[in-house]
Amino acid sequence: MPIRMDKREGRRAPVRAGASPFSGMTWERARFFLLLGFLLLCLFGGGAARADVTSLLYLRPAAIVCLVALLLSPGEWEFRRFRTLFILFALFAATMLVQLIPLPPGLWASLPGFARYTEAAAAAGVAEPWRPISLAPDLTLNSLLALLPCLVVLVGFAGIRNSQRRLLLPVLIGFVAVDALLSVAQFAGGPESRAYLYAVTNTEAPVGFFSNRNHNAAFLAMGFPMLAIWVGTPAPSRQYQRSRSWIALAFGLLLVPMILATGSRAGVVAGAIGLGIALWLAPSFTSSWERRWRIAFRVATALIPILLVVLTIYTNRALSIFRMTDANALGADLRFEALPVLADMLRTFSPQGIGYGAFDPVYRGFEPDSLLTTEYFNHAHNDLIELLLTGGALALLLLLVFVAWWGRRTVRSLIAGDGQRTSEKLARLGGVMILILLGASLVDYPLRTPLLAAVFTLACCWLATPAGAAAAETADDGAAPGEARPLPRPRSRPGLARSAVLVVAAAGAGWLTLGVTSAAIFGRTRPSLVAWWPLDATAHATRAARVLERGPRPAREAMAAAVADARAALLREPVNAVAARTLGLLLAIQGNEAQANRLMRYSESLSRRDTITQLWMIESDVRRNDIAGALRHYDRALRTSGNARELLFPILIEAAASEGVAQPLARLVATRPRWWPDFVARLVATGRSAGAIETILLALRLDPGVPAERSLLAGAIHRLVEIGDYRRALDLYRRTGGPAGGFVRNGDFEAENRFAPLDWVLGDGGGAGGIMQPGAGGSGRALLMVVEAGSAGGTVARQLLILPAGSYRFSAVAGRISGAPLEWPRVTISCVRTNASLLDLRLPAAAADGQPVAQDFTVGGACPAQWLIIAAPRPTGESGPWIDRIVVQPRR
């Protein structure tokens, strides 16, 4: 029976076994609700790994508020039970802090791989400053602040009761359920659904509360073992237990198609692992059933997930399976193509690393041209590699210690005890959840999202809980009814000194958090909003670049401020390409061309993705008549920027008219960079140089069997005809698979018409039309004149001939021609340029089986191309006249 609290004595009653997690003292409930509220904040605003997500502006300050509130609350803490986790956390944070300690210039430059970045100060014209190990200290600070959700969960977990710790399991299951429902809403709403929470996200797949489908799939995959352990926890009654089992089974089956629909290949593997372990962990509630029903249930348990997979594939919703079986998608996966680059970076920067968070700006300096695309590689998509690259040997050592702790604790949870205590079951669940998230980290970066980082920390806490739990959990894990366990006497509230220290520390941490987070969010878009924050290199570089956007000649004061901003950004972050090229442009305006060129070369060594730098390098190479170098920079700009294509395509097309440019440009396009289809489409639509069009199209060796490539060939031939270079058009036609023959191509109508107007163009849209099908009297295929009822007739078919000057004979076979002579079809040949008639042949009356016709004509020297036209003067009905075996040959 509970004993009331005596406020004067500060004592509290023992808690009855099985007491509600919502009972107890106010500070106990407050801690639990603080932790629960923060987890909810993580759910709704912690699903993205980017540093510029706006929700971090409330999530991180909320973490600091929760920490202060937790630490100021009275009562006992179980820090000792979780001391290993606290030590590992502190060591991990310490490795980040170590990377922020400035080093003397000589020592810093001697670190492996860092000598190349001494050019930053030299190009800027200043002395080498003291620098930290981190090449991007602002991003390392951001990584340090990203640990706040983990710290809140760790501290909060150490301050709540065991019954409250157990209640976090159904809370997490509820999170997974709501995430699955949101995924369904996203799937139903399509790519434009308002159910997506983040601007940068996988809109082609359901992502739930996340921005990345892989992270959502990993979260859903953890639902399987969560449900299995939840079913095995104590229940008030057998009926409640049975109902919970059926709910868990139904929800688990729902997770199968949801994971398949995410499109995550890693999620399929994680889901299979989670489901398999869940079936092993789940208790049997069929022990009282007859043997045949138990067997039937086990068979159904195995078959139903398989049937769900088959059904999801059949309904074309298993995007994950489709991506796994797509050989092209697997072969073109950037995370695998980048592995040699990552290995080179590891060799270059070992053992100290490059700094937590610095992967993106440093990787850009190593990214080869072959991997440049409009999409950028913001993470290694393998957190093991990225941890080693950014954290160095210390991070590797710490990771090995953690894995050893996890393996030891997991094995102990599996073999120690009888496995009946809830704490032991939760420990097993924690080990499995860590396994799933670590496995997912081998192909992505799920732990960089605040939500999954918090869930991972919670799993670690569950895994650590059984240490010393036998004596501490008597009341919560199976004490006899009526037996009570007195909790430790709560300490009085923290003293004034301790509270003051916490408040001051929180204020400093809050200022740091708002500064770093605001700079990450607004530094590239609205740097004026973080002008009060002095440390961010990105904001300084952006402010300097904005000065140049106002005009080619900024005012003297603005110029001086911009130079100072750009120089400060480059000295703080030597891998900041924007700062380097902005400073170079500013110095060029001041007339310092040598230093400007040096800064521009350094900027390009940092990133080949900066379009402005590439434009500068193009202009520099053109001035030196280095065509190959200029085209190399064109290629880089076009690979990485869609906007650059609108600017650079017209320039390239105009330059291609020069023979000195056309050949090297053709060799570049022949390598088929990602931008080549757009460029060739623009070339054949607007190009004015017939030589450039032919040279580039021939270099590409397009395959007419591929529809997209056949369309480009047809466009090129049509453009050459428009330009008036008929010989080149015919040459391109013949060298790219046009039907063989004489002057009339496909005169027997056997081949497909692909390259108009050198192939047949059927109909003119004015009521007349022609089709090719087996003729009644002609051999092979015949051209049947088909005219819509009520039309006045018109062109049935036409073809562009390219006949040299001379005398020729036209011959053909025609049939099914009757009626008055004025109603008979006509064949005409006229000069394209002058429209002068060269041949006007009215086909004579002919029976259905056909008869030959022929007529001579002459082509003059001023007529390089001719139109061959077959016309029908009136409607012919369903069975009109036909013509076949058209031939034009020189007359002897």
Side-chain angles (χ1 to χ4, degrees):
M1 175 174 158
I3 300 176
R4 293 184 179 179
M5 176 76 180
D6 189 334
K7 294 183 180 179
R8 292 170 298 177
E9 299 180 1
R11 299 178 182 274
R12 58 160 295 183
V15 178
R16 185 183 301 276
S20 168
F22 301 109
S23 62
M25 300 183 67
T26 302
W27 60 265
E28 290 180 314
R29 297 195 302 273
R31 289 180 181 178
F32 177 71
F33 284 118
L34 275 172
L35 178 57
L36 185 59
F38 182 73
L39 289 175
L40 282 170
L41 285 178
C42 289
L43 179 69
F44 288 101
R50 295 175 62 95
D52 58 356
V53 178
T54 309
S55 59
L56 294 177
L57 279 177
Y58 67 78
L59 188 62
R60 287 177 177 175
I64 295 175
V65 171
C66 288
L67 279 173
V68 173
L70 286 169
L71 294 174
L72 288 179
S73 64
E76 296 296 326
W77 296 86
E78 291 190 286
F79 290 138
R80 175 171 293 186
R81 177 180 293 185
F82 304 101
R83 62 181 177 273
T84 302
L85 293 180
F86 278 104
I87 292 172
L88 288 173
F89 179 89
L91 290 175
F92 189 42
T95 62
M96 297 183 180
L97 291 172
V98 166
Q99 291 185 338
L100 297 173
I101 300 174
L103 300 176
L107 176 60
W108 186 87
S110 67
L111 295 174
F114 279 19
R116 63 188 294 177
Y117 300 111
T118 58
E119 177 67 9
V126 297
E128 185 71 32
W130 285 47
R131 296 185 186 276
I133 290 177
S134 174
L135 293 172
D138 299 322
L139 297 176
T140 302
L141 270 174
N142 184 76
S143 298
L144 181 63
L145 294 177
L147 298 179
L148 283 172
C150 304
L151 184 59
V152 173
V153 173
L154 193 55
V155 172
F157 198 89
I160 60 177
R161 298 201 314 267
N162 287 317
S163 59
Q164 293 169 329
R165 293 167 182 166
R166 290 198 299 268
L167 187 61
L168 292 175
L169 174 57
V171 168
L172 278 191
I173 292 175
F175 285 4
V176 175
V178 177
D179 180 81
L181 293 176
L182 182 60
S183 298
V184 171
Q186 293 166 347
F187 192 84
E192 302 300 324
S193 174
R194 294 185 178 181
Y196 289 101
L197 302 183
Y198 299 96
V200 181
T201 186
N202 297 123
T203 54
E204 75 280 4
V207 295
F209 285 100
F210 298 89
S211 64
N212 184 302
R213 59 185 165 204
N214 294 319
H215 304 164
N216 187 39
F219 189 55
L220 294 174
M222 288 188 292
F224 292 120
M226 288 182 195
L227 292 170
I229 296 299
W230 180 55
V231 168
T233 57
S237 65
R238 181 173 297 179
Q239 179 61 36
Y240 185 90
Q241 178 72 23
R242 187 178 297 113
S243 300
R244 189 165 59 182
S245 299
W246 286 112
I247 292 172
L249 180 61
F251 183 34
L253 293 177
L254 171 66
L255 291 177
V256 174
M258 286 309 308
I259 292 174
L260 295 178
T262 61
S264 171
R265 294 166 292 188
V268 172
V269 178
I273 293 173
L275 180 59
I277 295 177
L279 293 175
W280 175 59
L281 292 177
S284 174
F285 62 95
T286 62
S287 56
S288 60
W289 294 8
E290 294 183 15
R291 183 173 179 272
R292 58 177 180 174
W293 292 114
R294 290 201 306 272
I295 295 175
F297 180 80
R298 291 173 183 171
V299 172
T301 303
L303 289 180
I304 290 178
I306 298 176
L307 292 176
L308 285 173
V309 172
V310 173
L311 180 62
T312 309
I313 295 174
Y314 179 76
T315 56
N316 202 32
R317 294 294 184 265
L319 183 58
S320 299
I321 300 295
F322 300 150
R323 294 184 72 236
M324 291 183 73
T325 56
D326 186 353
N328 293 329
L330 289 173
D333 197 321
L334 192 57
R335 74 189 72 199
F336 299 123
E337 294 180 357
L339 285 177
V341 184
L342 299 178
D344 181 40
M345 293 176 68
L346 283 172
R347 288 190 297 267
T348 301
F349 295 107
S350 294
Q352 82 284 345
I354 60 175
Y356 291 95
F359 174 82
D360 183 15
V362 176
Y363 173 80
R364 295 182 184 220
F366 287 78
E367 192 174 21
D369 288 359
S370 60
L371 297 185
L372 291 176
T373 69
T374 52
E375 298 178 353
Y376 62 93
F377 206 48
N378 61 331
H379 287 289
H381 290 267
N382 182 319
D383 256 357
L384 173 61
I385 293 177
E386 186 164 344
L387 182 67
L388 301 182
L389 179 59
T390 57
L394 289 178
L396 174 60
L397 179 62
L398 198 57
L399 175 64
L400 293 176
V401 172
F402 173 79
V403 170
W405 173 84
W406 165 71
R408 178 174 174 272
R409 294 297 307 169
T410 301
V411 171
R412 183 175 176 182
S413 70
L414 294 174
I415 63 176
D418 55 7
Q420 298 303 310
R421 289 182 178 273
T422 302
S423 60
E424 294 172 348
K425 295 176 182 178
L426 290 176
R428 295 176 179 178
L429 173 62
V432 172
M433 292 170 63
I434 293 171
L435 172 65
I436 291 175
L437 289 174
L438 288 181
S441 296
L442 293 178
V443 291
D444 216 271
Y445 43 94
L447 294 180
R448 296 180 185 273
T449 64
L451 175 55
L452 288 179
V455 171
F456 181 82
T457 307
L458 184 57
C460 292
C461 292
W462 275 334
L463 184 59
T465 299
E473 298 181 4
T474 306
D476 283 342
D477 287 331
E483 184 179 350
R485 173 179 64 88
L487 289 181
R489 176 178 176 178
R491 295 193 301 250
S492 59
R493 289 188 176 276
L496 183 60
R498 177 185 172 193
S499 300
V501 170
L502 282 174
V503 170
V504 171
W511 180 77
L512 178 67
T513 299
L514 285 177
V516 172
T517 306
S518 299
I521 295 171
F522 302 115
R524 285 185 175 87
T525 56
R526 303 175 67 184
S528 59
L529 293 180
V530 288
W532 56 274
W533 179 247
L535 300 179
D536 189 70
T538 299
H540 280 78
T542 305
R543 279 200 300 271
R546 292 285 172 87
V547 171
L548 291 173
E549 295 174 4
R550 299 170 191 165
R553 289 287 177 181
R556 180 176 299 178
E557 295 79 8
M559 174 74 76
V563 169
D565 270 333
R567 186 172 281 127
L570 189 58
L571 293 180
R572 177 166 178 79
E573 189 176 280
V575 292
N576 194 312
V578 175
R581 60 99 157 144
T582 302
L583 184 57
L585 293 174
L586 292 168
L587 294 180
I589 294 174
Q590 293 178 344
N592 194 339
E593 286 290 334
Q595 197 171 351
N597 281 320
R598 186 175 183 180
L599 282 163
M600 283 302 187
R601 288 193 297 271
Y602 179 64
S603 174
E604 198 199 22
S605 74
L606 296 177
S607 174
R608 297 174 180 88
R609 293 179 169 274
D610 190 75
T611 304
I612 297 176
T613 301
Q614 295 304 323
L615 294 178
W616 173 284
M617 302 304 290
I618 289 170
E619 185 177 351
S620 176
D621 287 337
V622 169
R623 284 199 302 264
R624 293 184 290 107
N625 199 32
D626 183 359
I627 303 302
L631 289 176
R632 182 170 62 252
H633 297 300
Y634 269 110
D635 179 38
R636 290 171 180 171
L638 293 171
R639 284 175 181 267
T640 56
S641 173
N643 295 330
R645 298 180 182 184
E646 292 300 317
L647 172 66
L648 298 181
F649 278 171
I651 300 174
L652 269 182
I653 292 171
E654 190 70 25
S658 167
E659 183 66 24
V661 176
Q663 289 293 341
L665 177 59
R667 288 192 293 270
L668 172 61
V669 176
T671 63
R672 300 202 172 197
R674 293 178 183 267
W675 49 268
W676 80 265
D678 293 339
F679 172 73
V680 175
R682 180 77 65 91
L683 174 69
V684 301
T686 64
R688 292 181 294 179
S689 170
I693 294 174
E694 182 185 37
T695 299
I696 292 172
L697 269 292
L698 290 176
L700 274 168
R701 300 180 182 274
L702 298 177
D703 182 1
V706 178
E709 297 189 10
R710 181 170 67 245
S711 176
L712 291 175
L713 282 170
I717 291 171
H718 189 271
R719 183 61 179 170
L720 290 173
V721 170
E722 283 184 339
I723 294 173
D725 199 324
Y726 307 111
R727 293 294 172 187
R728 277 197 170 96
L730 183 60
D731 182 59
L732 182 61
Y733 174 90
R734 288 172 174 168
R735 295 175 68 174
T736 53
F743 293 111
V744 177
R745 294 160 296 281
N746 195 22
D748 57 2
F749 307 105
E750 293 286 351
E752 180 185 1
N753 291 318
R754 298 186 296 183
F755 302 124
L758 299 185
D759 279 332
W760 291 108
V761 181
L762 302 180
D764 63 356
I771 60 173
M772 295 190 307
Q773 69 179 28
S779 62
R781 300 175 66 89
L783 180 68
L784 292 181
M785 316 265 180
V786 178
V787 181
E788 300 289 342
S791 95
T795 299
V796 174
R798 61 191 174 100
Q799 184 181 120
L800 184 70
L801 305 182
I802 304 174
L803 304 174
S807 299
Y808 297 90
R809 166 162 290 202
F810 171 87
S811 62
V813 176
R816 202 182 291 121
I817 301 175
S818 61
L822 293 179
E823 298 175 351
W824 297 343
R826 295 170 60 192
V827 176
T828 63
I829 298 177
S830 59
C831 186
V832 170
R833 289 183 176 175
T834 64
N835 205 30
S837 177
L838 306 178
L839 171 72
D840 190 347
L841 171 63
R842 189 174 295 278
L843 300 179
D849 56 355
Q851 72 176 42
V853 294
Q855 185 169 315
D856 297 335
F857 66 98
T858 301
V859 177
C863 184
Q866 308 81 29
W867 279 115
L868 168 61
I869 298 175
I870 303 170
R874 66 172 181 82
T876 59
E878 294 183 358
S879 57
W882 59 266
I883 188 170
D884 195 10
R885 287 176 281 176
I886 298 176
V887 176
V888 171
Q889 56 188 1
R891 191 176 60 187
R892 297 179 181 177

